[in-house]
Amino acid sequence: MKTILVGDITLAVKKLCMEACVILGEDVLQALERAYASEESPVGREILGRIIENAHIAKTENLPLCQDTGMAVLFLEIGQEVHFEGGSLTDAIHEGVRLGYRDGYLRKSVLHPITRINTGDNTPAVIHTEIVPGDGLKIIMAPKGFGSENMSRVVMFPPSAGMDGVKEFVVQRVEESGGNPCPPIVVGVGLGGTFEKAALLAKKALLRPLGTTNPDSLLAELESDLLDRINRLGIGPLGLGGRTTALAVHVNAYPTHIASIPCAVNIQCHSSRHREIEL
Ligand code: SF4
């Protein structure tokens, strides 16, 4: 049994918030550079160059990558041998978000859905936990901008829709989103499970490093087909035309009920931010 003090979790979450909103992952930068090298549209290339330059400035000057520093989404993989001490784990995470957004001078974007009154400190966060074997704790912080989040959808298809129906839906979702999610985007697809499981699968798919191949050959083929179709839409960087509409399509799948094909599409903008730590 390993003991982790919740105070250490607060400090870790604070640091993750401040870093995630400022530092773009190396995998995303490399994907943007590959897109810059291959983009045919002069305007598209210009935009990709500015996005890359913006990422370098953000990192060197410790400034947010985007004015929308998002709602804090946290994924915790908690080893079943871990014991937390010193208070509530949930409170500790929220305190970390509060401090990170305050001390990082990050925009507070969270409010009550009916009154629209801002909570003032970017809490509460959205927290997903998973119990895993061992005595480790992994925390992933993924600030989510809502220009792209708003373009996401879940559909419960009947089995008769088949994979053709699923593919059509994913491509159409990207087409209808146009420039709204700040392309080039990453498209997370969740297939199977239940209504809420599909959405979570899609969001988790966004965390996979760009440039990696899905270990499931069936899904890898689906990802490649979808990416090809999406990048033939001509939406391009920031919706101003070009071949680079998506940097990647990532699909996660889970068994489902005989009566359904749940399908979720979670769209991530080019500010594809997430940082992680293991305690
Ligand atoms: S969708 Fe992304 S890039 Fe666009 S404003 Fe929101 S956080 Fe920024």
Side-chain angles (χ1 to χ4, degrees), residues 66-68 145-148 180-182 269-271 273:
C66 180
Q67 41 76 33
D68 182 356
F146 271 49
S148 54
N180 290 314
C182 300
C269 62
H270 64 261
S271 204
R273 304 160 286 191

Side-chain angles (χ1 to χ4, degrees), residues 149-155 169 173 176-177 188 199 202 263-267:
E149 192 73 349
N150 280 352
M151 298 299 112
S152 306
R153 299 285 187 276
V154 181
V155 171
F169 163 63
R173 185 77 297 269
E176 286 169 3
S177 299
C263 179
V265 174
N266 194 200
I267 296 185

Side-chain angles (χ1 to χ4, degrees), residues 111-160:
L111 46 67
H112 189 282
I114 298 171
T115 65
R116 311 301 290 176
I117 294 172
N118 199 300
T119 62
D121 57 11
N122 222 53
T123 68
V126 174
I127 304 169
H128 302 288
T129 54
E130 190 182 345
I131 308 297
V132 297
D135 64 358
L137 171 67
K138 187 192 224 181
I139 307 173
I140 304 170
M141 157 61 177
K144 192 69 172 74
F146 271 49
S148 54
E149 192 73 349
N150 280 352
M151 298 299 112
S152 306
R153 299 285 187 276
V154 181
V155 171
M156 305 297 287
F157 283 107
S160 58

